[in-house]
Amino acid sequence: MAEIERFQNANKVTSYAGVTPVFFSSAVKGKNVQNKNQGNRELYAMLYLLLCNKYK
């Protein structure tokens, strides 16, 4: 990841990393899902591997 100072807040960083849940809704029904198609794939993979190694 380049310069972290370029992000205004933590929400922007998590969105960039692709770990922020996205709310989808249709009519009255809606759900929070994690959209793995958004964000930086390399950063997401690195965070995933770090967490997997931590909880082995």
Side-chain angles (χ1 to χ4, degrees), residues 2 5 8 11 15-16 34-35 39 56:
E5 294 83 19
Q8 296 173 357
N11 290 340
S15 184
Y16 176 78
Q34 186 173 352
N35 191 354
K56 272 189 173 179

Side-chain angles (χ1 to χ4, degrees), residues 4-50:
I4 192 117
E5 294 83 19
R6 69 183 182 160
F7 298 103
Q8 296 173 357
N9 55 43
N11 290 340
K12 303 272 185 181
V13 176
T14 58
S15 184
Y16 176 78
V19 295
T20 304
V22 180
F23 184 75
F24 290 102
S25 66
S26 174
V28 184
K29 299 177 183 178
K31 62 182 176 177
N32 285 326
V33 295
Q34 186 173 352
N35 191 354
K36 293 183 175 70
N37 294 330
Q38 295 179 340
N40 185 311
R41 291 180 185 203
E42 291 178 8
L43 180 57
Y44 180 86
M46 183 179 66
L47 291 172
Y48 179 80
L49 289 174
L50 286 171

